[in-house]
Amino acid sequence: MIHEENGVFPAVCPLDCPDTCSLLLYKKDGVITKVTGNPEHPITGGAICNKVRNMTERVYHSERVLYPLRRVGAKGEGKFERITWDEAISEISSRYKSLIHKYGPESILPYSFYGNMGILSVDGMDRRFFHKLGSSQLQQGICNSAGNTGWKYTMGFGGGVGPDELVHTKLFIVWGGNIVSTNMHQLAMIEKMRKTGAKLVVIDVHQNRTGQRADWFIPLYPGTDSALALGIMHVLFEHDLVNESFMQQYTVGYQELQEHVKKYTPERVASITGVPAEDIIKLAIMYGETSPAYIHIGNGLQHHDNGGMAVRTICCLPALTGQWLIPGGGAYKSNGAYGGMNADALERPDLRPNPDARTISMNRIGEALLTIDPPIRALFVYCANPAVVAPDTGKVEQGLLREDLFTVVHDLFITDTAKYADIVLPATSSFENTDLYTSYWHHYVQLQEPVIPKQGESKGNVEMFKLLAAAMGYEDDAFLDNEEDMIVQALDYADNPYLKGVTLDDLKEQRSVKLNMAQKLHYLDSLSTRSGKIELYSSRMKEAGLPALPTYIPLIEGYDGEHRPGIGNKYPLMFISPPNHSFLNSTFGNVDKLKALEKEPLLQIHPEDARSRGIADGDEVTVWNDRGRYAVSASVTDKMLPGTVVSQGLWWEGGRNSRANALTPDRLADMGGGAVFFSTVVEVQKSEK
Ligand code: SF4
C-alpha cells in the first residue's frame, strides 16, 4: 500500500489509550489528507477522538526531525548540526564500546515507555539490543504498575470485564478515570445503556468531563479511594447486601474482611474522604441492589503512595456482591493480559550475559542520573519524554545537564528531552511502520503496515537497533529478524489461550482479529492467585510487608494521621495533574491546533481557596513546593473539594516553569514501583507583575 498514491488504507491508532482504534487513512498524491475511524471495527467503529483526527499535523509537522543530528550548543539549548546515519551509528557504537570497556555495560541505560504502543516499537528489537549489550534494566512503573499489582494480588490474572459485556450493565461506576477523554468508546456504550435506564456514577477528586455527564458525581479527597471502598464494604455487610454463597465458593478471607471493615463506619469514612456519610450509605445500597453493576477503575487513583492498595480494595467489591458471575457485572482495570504476547521470543532476555543487571526505576530517573553509584554514563531515550513526563523534573533536568552523560534520543521531534541529547535520531511515525497492536480494553489484535514512506531519513525501532547491533558486532540470529518474523514469534505463545488462532496471515487479510474469548467462560475457575480464588485476604501481600486485608493507609504528604490537616501548613493544598482532553501525556503538546483548543495551562482552584489568597479567575499564579515552581493562570471553580488544586495536561516547549511535574515527587507507590504523581502538596499565590 505504500506504493499506492491514492486511496483509503487501514491503520491503527498507536497511542497509549485503551481504545486502540481502527483507522482509515485517506491518501491523495502520496500524502495522507484525512484520518477517520474505520466503521467496520466492531468496537471502535467510525468514531475517533479529535487528537487523532489531527494526526496529519503531527506526521507532516514542519518541525519533524528528518535527519540524524549532533549537538553543537550547550545541553538543553537545542542547537544541533545534521550528520549522516553512518556517523551517528558509528559515534554511538564507539562510545558504547568504550563505556563498556571502562565501566561495564550497566553504565548504559535505555529509557522508554509507550509513546507508540506497537509491540515492535517498544518491546522488540530494542529489548534484544539492550539485553545483548547487558545494559542496566529499566523498571517501567510510570503508568499502571501500582494498580495492576494491586489487582493481581486480588484477582491473579490481569484482565477483567470487556466491552462486549457492557450491553447488560445497569449501573456503571467510573472511579478515578476521565473516560470522555481517555476511553471514548466506553463512554458511548454507557450513553447507549443510559437510554435504557442504566445509571452512571463517577467518583473522582475532580469533576472532569466525565464527572460532568454523570447521573451522580461524588467528589472525594485525593488518595482516600480505599477508605471509600472500605466504607462501602461496611455498609454491604451491615445491610446484608453481600452474596454469601459466591464468597464461600470463589473467595478467600471474607469472614476476616467482614470483621475488619466494621471499623470503617460511614461516619469515620466521611471524615477521611470528604464524602458525606449518607452518600456513602446511599452509594453502597445502590451498588448492592443493582445488577449488573460494573466498576471501571481508572488510572488516576493509582498514582498515589497508596495506589496499589486503592485498586486492590476497589476490585474486592464485586466479589462481595457476586457481580463477577453476572454478564455486565464485575470490574475493569486493564484487559491487557488477554492479549499477552510471547515476550521471551520477542525480547530475547536469554541474550543477556548478566541476568542480574541492576534495575533502575523510570520514576526515579532524575535521582538515578544524579546519585546512583556506579553512575549511569549513557542514556538512550525512545518513545518517551522524561524531561516533561517523569516526576520531579527539576532533578531530571539536572541529570540531563551532566556533561559526562552521553544521551541519545530517538524521536519525531526535538522534545524537551531531546534538547539535552548529544545525538538525536529521526523516528518514523506509526503510519510508516509495520507493527502489531493489542488493546488494554477491547479484545482485538490489529496489524499496521506502512501507508506512507519513511519521512526524510527517519527509521523505525527495528531497523535502527539492527544497525546498532551490527555496529556493535552482534552476530546472533535475533538481529536478522524482520518485522514479520517478530510478529510471528510474538503470536506463537501456547501459554496464552486467548491468543490461540490469531495469526499473521489472518491479520494481513482481516487487519483486526478477535482474541479467542471462549476461554473467558473459565475466568473464575482459573484465577492465578496462590489459592486460585479471589483473595480478599492475601498471604502474598503479607509476605511482601503489606496489610493482608484491604486497608486505608494515608498519603505521606498532606495528611495528619488519616485526615487532611487544618490551616497553617506550609503546603496546605493537594496538587493533581491529570491529562487534558487534547494531548496524550506530552504527545501533541507541539501541535498548534490542539494547543489552541487547550489555550494555556490552568490551575483550577476552589473559590474558598482562591478567596483566602486574594486570587481571582484569570490571575497569573505561581504554584510551588520544595521541589519546584509552576506558573499558570487561575481558573476559579468548585469542581473539586476545597484544599485540592488541579492542573490538566503536560505542557512542554515552555521552559522549566511550565512543567507540572516540577512539583511531583519521585517516591514509589506501595506496590509495583508505581509513580505517585498525585500525592503532592503545594502552596499557590498570585504572581508578582
Ligand atoms: S487516542 Fe484513543 S480514542 Fe483517540 S483515536 Fe487513538 S485509540 Fe482512538
Side-chain angles (χ1 to χ4, degrees):
M1 63 180 92
I2 195 170
H3 303 296
E4 296 171 37
E5 292 284 291
N6 297 294
V8 183
F9 302 93
V12 189
C13 175
L15 299 178
D16 187 355
C17 168
D19 297 44
T20 316
C21 288
S22 176
L23 307 176
L24 292 178
L25 307 184
Y26 290 74
K27 247 172 105 175
K28 190 163 186 299
D29 301 329
V31 173
I32 302 168
T33 54
K34 191 166 78 164
V35 182
T36 69
N38 182 348
E40 288 180 11
H41 193 275
I43 300 295
T44 66
I48 59 168
C49 67
N50 191 45
K51 299 184 279 280
V52 173
R53 272 200 301 274
N54 285 293
M55 193 62 127
T56 53
E57 308 274 327
R58 180 172 154 83
V59 172
Y60 299 118
H61 197 293
S62 60
E63 289 170 6
R64 197 169 147 181
V65 177
L66 296 174
Y67 312 100
L69 301 169
R70 180 193 286 125
R71 179 170 64 85
V72 290
K75 289 202 173 197
E77 206 179 349
K79 284 195 183 153
F80 298 95
E81 65 179 2
R82 182 175 170 179
I83 55 174
T84 65
W85 267 101
D86 282 349
E87 287 172 305
I89 294 289
S90 155
E91 186 162 337
I92 297 165
S93 56
S94 58
R95 287 293 287 264
Y96 282 7
K97 284 176 188 167
S98 155
L99 286 172
I100 291 167
H101 179 69
K102 274 198 206 151
Y103 305 109
E106 290 177 52
S107 61
I108 299 167
L109 177 70
Y111 188 100
S112 66
F113 204 65
Y114 293 92
N116 178 334
M117 292 292 287
I119 62 162
L120 301 185
S121 294
V122 276
D123 290 329
M125 198 57 78
D126 51 316
R127 303 288 176 126
R128 294 181 183 189
F129 176 76
F130 287 112
H131 279 316
K132 176 74 183 176
L133 187 147
S135 72
S136 287
Q137 308 184 81
L138 188 72
Q139 198 269 335
Q140 293 181 301
I142 205 160
C143 183
N144 55 12
S145 61
N148 284 355
T149 306
W151 175 283
K152 283 184 192 162
Y153 273 131
T154 312
M155 301 298 297
F157 179 72
V161 174
D164 298 358
E165 293 185 45
L166 302 185
V167 292
H168 305 289
T169 304
K170 294 213 167 64
L171 174 64
F172 295 90
I173 298 178
V174 175
W175 197 323
N178 181 12
I179 61 170
V180 169
S181 302
T182 61
N183 193 184
M184 61 177 274
H185 294 88
Q186 180 162 200
L187 182 83
M189 290 172 182
I190 293 173
E191 293 295 7
K192 200 167 160 194
M193 292 309 293
R194 285 174 89 186
K195 292 198 178 106
T196 69
K199 297 283 181 244
L200 170 63
V201 175
V202 174
I203 302 169
D204 211 302
V205 298
H206 170 230
Q207 192 171 20
N208 52 39
R209 288 176 186 239
T210 310
Q212 288 163 38
R213 297 171 83 131
D215 294 293
W216 185 17
F217 171 66
I218 303 175
L220 77 174
Y221 292 133
T224 63
D225 306 86
S226 47
L228 180 58
L230 287 158
I232 295 170
M233 290 180 194
H234 174 101
V235 178
L236 290 173
F237 278 114
E238 198 167 67
H239 287 244
D240 200 18
L241 290 168
V242 292
N243 184 331
E244 187 100 17
S245 64
F246 179 91
M247 291 191 293
Q248 268 178 15
Q249 189 174 347
Y250 292 110
T251 74
V252 169
Y254 78 93
Q255 284 151 326
E256 290 95 326
L257 182 64
Q258 180 170 10
E259 197 53 36
H260 174 71
V261 299
K262 280 185 179 158
K263 57 181 179 274
Y264 291 97
T265 62
E267 293 70 27
R268 178 182 167 202
V269 170
S271 73
I272 295 170
T273 60
V275 180
E278 56 272 25
D279 283 354
I280 296 166
I281 296 167
K282 181 177 147 190
L283 175 63
I285 291 174
M286 180 190 277
Y287 181 67
E289 289 185 343
T290 313
S291 182
Y294 160 83
I295 304 174
H296 170 101
I297 306 175
N299 258 349
L301 59 90
Q302 74 192 314
H303 289 154
H304 279 297
D305 298 311
N306 58 13
M309 184 62 90
V311 172
R312 183 261 194 291
T313 307
I314 294 166
C315 76
C316 288
L317 288 170
L320 267 59
T321 56
Q323 280 296 317
W324 286 115
L325 278 182
I326 319 283
Y332 159 85
K333 162 71 181 70
S334 167
N335 286 337
Y338 294 117
M341 300 279 163
N342 188 342
D344 284 350
L346 194 56
E347 304 176 14
R348 298 291 307 271
D350 58 295
L351 294 170
R352 181 171 278 280
N354 53 351
D356 296 329
R358 65 180 174 179
T359 297
I360 292 168
S361 166
M362 70 187 308
N363 299 328
R364 311 214 67 211
I365 184 63
E367 182 76 14
L369 290 175
L370 292 173
T371 63
I372 202 167
D373 190 30
I376 298 162
R377 296 179 188 272
L379 187 67
F380 196 116
V381 181
Y382 57 103
C383 288
N385 185 10
V388 176
V389 179
D392 202 345
T393 50
K395 274 194 213 165
V396 179
E397 184 181 16
Q398 278 181 49
L400 291 171
L401 277 168
R402 265 179 45 202
E403 279 305 327
D404 64 332
L405 180 73
F406 176 64
T407 301
V408 178
V409 173
H410 180 230
D411 206 297
L412 279 77
F413 297 103
I414 302 293
T415 59
D416 281 6
T417 307
K419 285 183 182 155
Y420 297 87
D422 296 281
I423 302 281
V424 179
L425 300 172
T428 44
S429 76
S430 67
F431 299 156
E432 295 151 46
N433 291 331
T434 297
D435 215 329
L436 186 66
Y437 292 86
T438 57
S439 163
Y440 51 95
W441 175 53
H442 63 65
H443 301 314
Y444 289 81
V445 183
Q446 298 180 78
L447 178 70
Q448 171 77 60
E449 290 187 310
V451 176
I452 52 172
K454 294 176 172 61
Q455 302 293 288
E457 293 182 5
S458 61
K459 293 190 191 297
N461 178 307
V462 175
E463 185 183 3
M464 175 181 67
F465 281 105
K466 280 169 78 164
L467 282 176
L468 278 168
M472 294 295 289
Y474 302 158
E475 292 177 342
D476 309 72
D477 288 351
F479 298 107
L480 301 177
D481 288 337
N482 63 25
E483 284 85 346
E484 292 196 0
D485 297 331
M486 295 174 79
I487 289 172
V488 170
Q489 293 157 10
L491 291 171
D492 182 11
Y493 191 33
D495 286 0
N496 181 4
Y498 295 97
L499 262 190
K500 195 172 172 199
V502 181
T503 66
L504 178 61
D505 287 343
D506 287 347
L507 282 162
K508 282 191 156 206
E509 198 182 310
Q510 301 163 37
R511 296 286 152 182
S512 179
V513 175
K514 192 170 184 184
L515 295 167
N516 174 16
M517 294 312 292
Q519 300 297 326
K520 183 86 199 308
L521 290 174
H522 307 291
Y523 181 84
L524 286 175
D525 303 322
S526 56
L527 293 176
S528 51
T529 51
R530 179 176 279 169
S531 62
K533 297 185 175 189
I534 300 171
E535 298 206 343
L536 305 175
Y537 179 98
S538 165
S539 54
R540 277 207 175 120
M541 287 178 67
K542 194 168 180 205
E543 285 163 19
L546 295 159
L549 288 164
T551 301
Y552 168 60
I553 300 165
L555 302 184
I556 291 167
E557 294 179 34
Y559 280 76
D560 184 5
E562 66 180 25
H563 297 103
R564 300 294 305 278
I567 309 291
N569 269 270
K570 187 177 176 192
Y571 298 121
L573 302 169
M574 294 292 306
F575 175 74
I576 306 294
S577 48
N580 64 15
H581 190 65
S582 302
F583 305 165
L584 205 151
N585 294 322
S586 70
T587 302
F588 299 114
N590 64 338
V591 171
D592 288 344
K593 253 193 197 173
L594 296 171
K595 263 165 81 178
L597 288 173
E598 294 296 334
K599 297 191 178 72
E600 60 177 334
L602 293 175
L603 185 81
Q604 298 184 33
I605 183 167
H606 193 277
E608 278 179 28
D609 296 321
R611 201 175 311 120
S612 61
R613 290 166 178 78
I615 293 169
D617 197 57
D619 279 350
E620 291 295 311
V621 294
T622 302
V623 192
W624 81 95
N625 60 18
D626 289 342
R627 293 179 199 99
R629 306 180 87 73
Y630 181 43
V632 278
S633 298
S635 167
V636 179
T637 171
D638 61 0
K639 289 198 175 95
M640 54 275 156
L641 297 175
T644 302
V645 290
V646 177
S647 182
Q648 290 183 278
L650 292 177
W651 295 75
W652 54 293
E653 293 189 305
R656 69 182 60 155
N657 287 339
S658 69
R659 294 173 189 153
N661 279 322
L663 305 167
T664 57
D666 63 359
R667 291 189 303 273
L668 300 182
D670 54 350
M671 298 179 201
V676 301
F677 292 110
F678 301 164
S679 294
T680 311
V681 288
V682 297
E683 182 52 288
V684 181
Q685 72 175 21
K686 208 165 151 174
S687 302
E688 286 169 19
K689 299 243 167 173

